Amino acid sequence: MHYSVQFFTWTPKEGVHQVGKTIEIDAINPKLAAVSLLGLRLDETGAAKKLAVRVWNAPDDSKADCACFYYH
């Protein structure tokens, strides 16, 4: 399946902001789409390293049906 992936970071001073551009990738599922780009462990919960990713099916430009993961 084809996915769009956006990376985000956050700091107390600057808040949340997107890192880089949206990336298009083919993967079996949203989690594998995120893992394959950076090779870092991620999960849906837990203490994160100030890096998160939002993944959605490429045709859904409204991003209404997206998955969010946090890198650990």
Side-chain angles (χ1 to χ4, degrees):
M1 186 166 276
H2 194 74
Y3 292 99
S4 296
V5 180
Q6 286 180 323
F7 293 97
F8 294 89
T9 188
W10 62 90
T11 63
K13 187 175 183 178
E14 297 177 15
V16 177
H17 60 277
Q18 184 175 338
V19 177
K21 296 182 178 188
T22 300
I23 299 168
E24 305 293 323
I25 188 168
D26 290 321
I28 296 170
N29 62 46
K31 194 168 188 175
L32 285 176
V35 170
S36 65
L37 291 173
L38 293 182
L40 299 173
R41 196 176 123 230
L42 54 83
D43 208 341
E44 293 85 2
T45 60
K49 292 183 177 175
K50 297 192 179 358
L51 182 64
V53 64
R54 175 170 58 179
V55 183
W56 68 94
N57 193 330
D60 183 14
D61 288 334
S62 69
K63 302 174 193 96
D65 187 23
C66 67
C68 293
F69 302 101
Y70 303 91
Y71 288 92
H72 294 271

